[in-house]
Amino acid sequence: GAGVSQTPSNKVTEKGKYVELRCDPISGHTALYWYRQSLGQGPEFLIYFQGTGAADDSGLPNDRFFAVRPEGSVSTLKIQRTERGDSAVYLCASSLTRVRAGGIAFFGQGTRLTVV
Amino acid sequence: AQTVTQSQPEMSVQEAETVTLSCTYDTSENNYYLFWYKQPPSRQMILVIRQEAYKQQNATENRFSVNFQKAAKSFSLKISDSQLGDTAMYFCAFSNDMRFGAGTRLTVKP
């Protein structure tokens, strides 16, 4: 597609439920990043994929959070046993090459997750 | 992890005037990139400008320019001839671990 696509745009779930958030990167982009953005704050790094592998998952807050990218394109962020504190906008970005190596990250419009 | 600090939570400027947003960062690395992103209410993060650390020349994109001081680890964004459409959150980011600052909310007043 022309840009990074994230679905759904909004998700409301009950505390304790499981949710999946999807990110479709720009075609051909090998690097993919997930961020969490709480209200009024900057994006908080969660995980970075290079191809199919998670090259850096140091930002995942705990073992309730997990992300996959099985074919090196679409990625899914999975949150188990959701808590009210998980409410935030989840942003995905992709780049042709790793940003550290000069790539430019393009962002999707995010998924607003609300845990009630 | 590197740290990125934006010390101005909010700024305002009159339309057509110039405003400068500040950013400092901390790193021991020598090669990296710095970015300014704009986030309007639509939530879409849009790249404004990018600076390569090994280039001494400050990056410029139309009305947007940076003042990059590598030794001081400072990377400020100057917006000239401010327009109403520049109203947004602005985030500074560091390439090597893709960390962002807390942001500056810029309001352009008519």
Side-chain angles (χ1 to χ4, degrees):
Chain A
V4 178
S5 176
Q6 290 189 247
T7 53
S9 298
N10 292 282
K11 175 74 176 177
V12 180
T13 191
E14 292 180 347
K15 179 175 176 293
K17 298 288 189 183
Y18 167 83
V19 296
E20 290 189 351
L21 312 180
R22 177 185 168 108
C23 173
D24 272 279
I26 294 172
S27 179
H29 281 197
T30 62
L32 187 145
Y33 301 82
W34 281 101
Y35 290 85
R36 177 170 68 177
Q37 187 176 24
S38 300
L39 192 62
Q41 300 191 12
E44 173 193 4
F45 171 80
L46 295 177
I47 187 169
Y48 154 61
F49 286 91
Q50 183 60 45
T52 60
D56 181 357
D57 64 358
S58 62
L60 294 177
N62 52 59
D63 61 6
R64 296 187 298 105
F65 288 74
F66 189 70
V68 296
R69 196 185 184 199
E71 297 177 359
S73 54
V74 171
S75 176
T76 304
L77 178 66
K78 308 181 182 196
I79 310 174
Q80 299 177 321
R81 304 182 305 280
T82 51
E83 300 176 357
R84 292 197 178 88
D86 298 334
S87 296
V89 173
Y90 289 81
L91 296 169
C92 175
S94 71
S95 60
L96 191 58
T97 59
R98 187 176 185 181
V99 172
R100 186 189 189 111
I104 294 174
F106 294 88
F107 281 79
Q109 288 196 291
T111 294
R112 181 180 298 282
L113 176 66
T114 304
V115 182
V116 297
Chain B
Q2 334 298 325
T3 57
V4 178
T5 302
Q6 294 179 249
S7 58
Q8 305 152 311
E10 294 190 28
M11 296 275 287
S12 64
V13 63
Q14 291 296 132
E15 194 175 9
E17 296 194 344
T18 295
V19 63
T20 299
L21 309 184
S22 301
C23 174
T24 58
Y25 59 95
D26 182 29
T27 184
S28 57
E29 301 191 50
N30 199 43
N31 296 321
Y32 50 87
Y33 299 81
L34 294 160
F35 307 88
W36 279 98
Y37 277 88
K38 168 185 177 181
Q39 187 179 42
S42 67
R43 294 202 309 242
Q44 180 82 52
M45 293 278 278
I46 302 163
L47 179 67
V48 174
I49 199 164
R50 179 179 82 148
Q51 174 76 42
E52 300 173 65
Y54 59 86
K55 285 191 175 179
Q56 292 187 331
Q57 186 173 5
N58 289 323
T60 298
E61 288 288 341
N62 301 313
R63 298 183 294 107
F64 299 88
S65 61
V66 300
N67 182 4
F68 174 49
Q69 303 287 332
K70 190 173 183 180
K73 297 186 174 68
S74 169
F75 180 60
S76 60
L77 174 69
K78 185 171 85 169
I79 306 174
S80 304
D81 185 26
S82 297
Q83 300 176 359
L84 297 178
D86 296 334
T87 293
M89 286 291 294
Y90 287 81
F91 294 99
C92 177
F94 178 85
S95 65
N96 290 13
D97 55 8
M98 277 301 284
R99 264 57 172 183
F100 284 76
T104 296
R105 181 178 302 280
L106 176 67
T107 302
V108 180
K109 299 179 178 179

